[in-house]
Amino acid sequence: MSRNGLLCLALIAPSWGCSGGSEAPPSDPPRDPLESELSLEAVDASTGEGIADAQMTVRYLVRSPITLDESAVDEVSSGQPYRIAHAISEDSLVVEVRLEAPSYMRLDTVVAVARGGSEGPFRFAMAPREGRVASRPAPAQPQPSRAQPEASAATIDRSGLTAGDQAFSAGDWRGASDGYARMPLPPAGADDYAREYFLTRVRLGIARINLGEWDGARAALQDAVNRDPTEYSGYFYLGQVQCTLGQFSTGRQTLSQVERHYQSISEAQRPVVLALVEYQRAVCSHSEFQAARSPADQARTRQQALADFEDFVSRAESLNPIPQPVQAAMADARRRM
C-alpha cells in the first residue's frame, strides 16, 4: 500500500504493476524552451467516423506549465485535426480541452505531450444529441472501399506496443511509457487493434503513475475512458489520479463510474473490485479532509471520510474469503480512521 492510497488491481490484471509511493526526484535545472505540439480531432461516437457538423468550437486552457496561463477559443473545420503548440521548459504541456458542436454533447478532456514532443491526432468520440442529426457535404473524393481499412490494419506498426508490453512486464515504467506513447492511432476497421490501443492507454496511465507524472497519467486515462466509456478499468485509475491532483469531487464521481459499468467486470471479480472502489473513494475523502483549512470544511470532510471508510470496511468484511489486497486496504482504512 503506497502512502497516497493508490492501489493496483493485481487480482484483475496480474501482469500489470504499481509501485509503492517513492520520493520525487530533485527538480532539474532550468532548461531552454522547446516547441511541444499536440493535435486532436472529433469523431462520432456512434459511427467512429468524423462528426456530422462541418464546424466545431474548440476551447482550451493550458494547465501545465501553470505560469503559461494560455487559452483560446476557435471555430474550426471538424474535418481537419486541430493543432495546439507551445514552447515550454517544463516536462509536459498539459491542456484542458472542450469540444462543442451543434449536433453533439459537449466533450471535456485533458491532453498532454512531453517537452519537445509531438503527439496526435488524439481522436475523441462525441455523443450525438438525441433527436438531432446533422448532414455533412458530400466528400470531393469517393469513399474508400471497406477492404482498405482491413488492409491498413494488417500493416500497423506494433513495435511500440511490443516494446511497451515488455517494459511494463519488467516494471520498466519509463520504457513502457515511451513505447506506448509512440503507438499509432487505430485506423478505421481495425477493431482488434483499437481494443489493444484502449488497454495500452490504461497501462500508459499506470506507468506514468509509477513515474510520478500525474498530469500525463490523467491525460492517458482520460483518453482511455473517452475511447471506451463502458470499460471500468480506466475509471478506476483515473479517479485515483484526479484525487491525487486535488480534484476530490471529480475523482469520486469518476470512481462511481466503475459501479455504473459493473457489467464489464466478471462476476467472480466484481465484489472485490467494488470493495476497492469504495476504499479509493474513502481515501479520496480522507485526502480532502487533510487539505481542508477552515474549521467548517474540516468538520464536513472528516464526517464524509469516516462514513466512506465505514462503508468500505462493512463491504470488505462481507467478502469470504477476503483477498489480500482488500485485507491491506482494510488495515490502511482502520489506521486512517
Side-chain angles (χ1 to χ4, degrees):
M1 187 69 58
S2 64
R3 287 172 301 175
N4 58 10
L6 282 170
L7 187 65
C8 279
L9 295 176
L11 293 178
I12 298 147
S15 64
W16 298 8
C18 187
S19 70
S22 59
E23 295 299 327
S27 300
D28 293 330
R31 296 172 292 187
D32 293 332
L34 289 180
E35 184 80 354
S36 307
E37 175 182 321
L38 53 85
S39 60
L40 54 93
E41 60 185 2
V43 298
D44 189 305
S46 61
T47 66
E49 305 296 331
I51 64 173
D53 296 306
Q55 299 285 320
M56 69 175 179
T57 302
V58 179
R59 307 174 189 269
Y60 79 82
L61 174 66
V62 173
R63 282 300 185 194
S64 179
I66 58 175
T67 54
L68 199 57
D69 197 23
E70 291 279 354
S71 62
V73 179
D74 289 329
E75 294 287 338
V76 301
S77 168
S78 61
Q80 298 292 329
Y82 180 77
R83 174 179 174 271
I84 301 172
H86 290 284
I88 62 169
S89 301
E90 288 77 359
D91 288 337
S92 301
L93 172 67
V94 181
V95 185
E96 291 188 7
V97 178
R98 173 171 294 178
L99 306 181
E100 299 172 330
S103 301
Y104 294 84
M105 302 293 290
R106 186 185 77 198
L107 186 147
D108 294 297
T109 189
V110 178
V111 285
V113 62
R115 171 177 173 267
S118 177
E119 290 198 35
F122 297 95
R123 302 176 79 234
F124 295 109
M126 300 185 70
R129 293 182 184 274
E130 186 175 354
R132 298 199 62 172
V133 179
S135 60
R136 254 190 128 145
Q141 300 294 328
Q143 293 289 332
S145 68
R146 294 182 61 86
Q148 285 178 309
E150 296 174 4
S152 65
T155 60
I156 294 172
D157 178 8
R158 294 175 177 265
S159 61
L161 171 62
T162 301
D165 281 348
Q166 291 174 346
F168 196 98
S169 297
D172 176 6
W173 308 122
R174 176 53 62 197
S177 178
D178 292 345
Y180 292 142
R182 71 170 189 264
M183 287 176 61
L185 289 168
D191 294 340
D192 289 343
Y193 177 74
R195 177 62 180 169
E196 290 178 315
Y197 190 89
F198 160 77
L199 291 173
T200 62
R201 297 311 91 184
V202 178
R203 295 186 183 190
L204 176 58
I206 295 172
R208 288 175 172 172
I209 287 172
N210 284 293
L211 291 169
E213 298 175 354
W214 300 104
D215 289 322
R218 178 175 57 180
L221 293 164
Q222 185 67 60
D223 187 19
V225 300
N226 286 340
R227 291 178 183 280
D228 188 350
T230 66
E231 164 61 42
Y232 75 94
S233 57
Y235 295 113
F236 184 85
Y237 292 105
L238 177 59
Q240 295 180 60
V241 170
Q242 289 168 332
C243 290
T244 300
L245 291 172
Q247 300 172 318
F248 306 116
S249 178
T250 300
R252 286 191 292 265
Q253 291 175 7
T254 300
L255 288 167
S256 296
Q257 294 297 316
V258 178
E259 297 166 325
R260 290 188 59 190
H261 300 292
Y262 71 91
Q263 291 181 335
S264 66
I265 311 171
S266 70
E267 289 189 13
Q269 297 167 342
R270 192 176 298 164
V272 177
V273 173
L274 295 182
L276 295 179
V277 167
E278 288 210 9
Y279 165 71
Q280 292 298 341
R281 184 186 293 119
V283 169
C284 190
S285 296
H286 183 248
S287 297
E288 185 176 16
F289 163 69
Q290 292 179 311
R293 292 295 176 263
S294 72
D297 285 343
Q298 289 174 344
R300 174 183 58 82
T301 55
R302 176 182 181 277
Q303 182 178 8
Q304 181 65 58
L306 284 172
D308 288 346
F309 277 124
E310 288 169 357
D311 288 344
F312 158 66
V313 170
S314 176
R315 179 188 285 267
E317 288 177 339
S318 69
L319 300 178
N320 186 20
I322 302 176
Q324 192 281 329
V326 179
Q327 292 180 23
M330 289 175 65
D332 183 65
R334 291 190 171 107
R335 178 183 63 80
R336 293 172 187 259
M337 293 170 69

